[in-house]
């Protein structure tokens, strides 16, 4: 049986296990993604984006920190209750010390990122909602990290998530994203299993070419320091939204 997004209880996403496996230190792949994205943001005026969206934010804070260099408001839209609770704790109370090296790297890559982690996260509003239901054209910039290919086993549904991501951005708005390449169904922690949809540059291009212009894809090799989920690295995307 193919597992679809709505078959999964995302409220029980294992935040602690996920962070322990992936984000308790800055891995080489993190640094590569951050360098790629920082170059994208450096091409935009400081504070030039009035409203951006992190589409399916999860508990990952570094995309939000990087976006703070160019964005005056960032809606972190997340459906899972456990991820929302983590974001609220980090942004409204005190950030985990493990995120400090990520913030320091953000600052080295783009000195316009605010000088403290709290400052870098100050533009973020947490929105507990299904990102697929966002109104069309609300945002000037859309960011998505490891979402569409990690929430379903169905390629058609993966494509629907990508279209919803682009649709949330006004035509002419900016897009930046990261995907796990060839991600199968995967395990986090000792027990939980989650749906994956194997995609690569060709399939990502197939989905995004009709939706965008100035589409650019970049490949990052697998990181041996990360858990082996069966993926073959990452694909990074930038582009400009067209009408969907």
């Amino acid at each position: 049986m193919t597992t679809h997004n709505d078959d999964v209880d995302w409220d029980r996403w294992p935040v602690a296990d996920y962070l322990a496996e992936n984000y308790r230190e800055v891995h080489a792949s993190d640094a590569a993604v951050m360098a790629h994205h920082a170059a994208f943001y450096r091409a935009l005026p400081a504070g030039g984006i009035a409203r951006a969206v992190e589409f399916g934010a999860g508990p990952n804070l570094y995309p939000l920190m990087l976006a703070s260099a160019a964005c005056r408001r960032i809606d972190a839209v997340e459906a899972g209750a456990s991820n929302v609770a983590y974001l609220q704790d980090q942004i409204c109370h005190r950030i985990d010390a493990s995120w400090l090296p990520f913030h320091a790297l953000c600052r080295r890559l783009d000195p316009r990122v605010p000088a403290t982690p709290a400052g870098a996260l100050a533009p973020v509003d947490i929105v507990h909602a299904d990102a697929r239901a966002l109104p069309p054209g609300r945002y000037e910039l859309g960011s998505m990290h490891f979402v569409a290919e990690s929430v379903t086993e169905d390629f058609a549904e993966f494509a629907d998530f990508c279209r919803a991501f682009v649709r949330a951005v006004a035509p002419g708005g900016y897009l930046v994203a990261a995907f796990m390449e060839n991600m199968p169904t995967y395990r986090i922690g000792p027990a939980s299993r989650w749906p994956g949809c194997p995609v690569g540059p060709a399939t990502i291009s197939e989905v995004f070419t009709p939706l965008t212009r100035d589409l650019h894809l970049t490949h990052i090799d697998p990181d041996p320091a990360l858990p082996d989920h069966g993926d073959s690295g990452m694909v990074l995307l930038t582009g400009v939204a067209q009408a969907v």
Side-chain angles (χ1 to χ4, degrees):
M1 295 289 291
T2 299
T3 301
H4 295 86
N5 179 77
D6 290 341
D7 297 330
V8 178
D9 180 6
W10 294 105
D11 289 341
R12 65 180 183 87
W13 175 259
V15 175
D17 287 335
Y18 178 73
L19 293 174
E21 292 180 5
N22 294 280
Y23 294 115
R24 288 310 183 203
E25 60 182 285
V26 181
H27 296 288
S29 56
D30 299 319
V33 174
M34 294 166 75
H36 173 273
H37 287 10
F40 163 79
Y41 283 115
R42 287 197 306 269
L44 304 178
I49 301 297
R51 194 176 190 186
V53 62
E54 186 65 33
F55 190 95
N60 184 0
L61 300 188
Y62 76 70
L64 304 172
M65 295 177 182
L66 285 168
S68 69
C71 303
R72 302 196 299 274
R73 173 177 173 179
I74 306 160
D75 285 353
V77 181
E78 170 58 41
S82 57
N83 283 327
V84 168
Y86 181 79
L87 290 171
Q88 289 173 333
D89 181 64
Q90 296 298 291
I91 294 170
C92 300
H93 296 99
R94 186 174 181 180
I95 191 169
D96 289 345
S98 55
W99 291 112
L100 300 183
F102 288 88
H103 173 258
L105 179 55
C106 288
R107 286 271 294 165
R108 290 198 296 273
L109 293 166
D110 190 342
R112 303 174 308 167
V113 171
T116 66
L121 296 174
V124 177
D125 288 326
I126 303 162
V127 180
H128 190 180
D130 186 335
R132 294 172 295 177
L134 289 169
R138 170 174 285 184
Y139 298 99
E140 297 172 28
L141 183 148
S143 172
M144 178 173 68
H145 290 77
F146 316 119
V147 175
E149 78 285 15
S150 301
V151 297
T152 181
E153 295 175 355
D154 180 30
F155 178 77
E157 189 170 37
F158 163 82
D160 287 343
F161 264 90
C162 295
R163 280 190 288 270
F165 168 56
V166 177
R167 188 171 60 241
V169 178
Y174 300 99
L175 302 168
V176 59
F179 304 86
M180 299 304 298
E181 184 182 55
N182 293 317
M183 183 74 162
T185 296
Y186 56 100
R187 184 182 299 277
I188 297 175
S192 65
R193 293 185 66 84
W194 304 88
C197 181
V199 299
T203 48
I204 294 168
S205 180
E206 174 188 341
V207 170
F208 278 91
T209 294
L211 309 176
T212 64
R213 58 180 173 83
D214 300 334
L215 180 66
H216 295 282
L217 301 179
T218 301
H219 182 264
I220 295 177
D221 290 335
D223 189 335
L226 290 173
D228 182 4
H229 293 301
D231 62 274
S232 55
M234 299 178 185
V235 180
L236 311 183
L237 174 152
T238 59
V240 175
Q242 298 196 116
V244 178

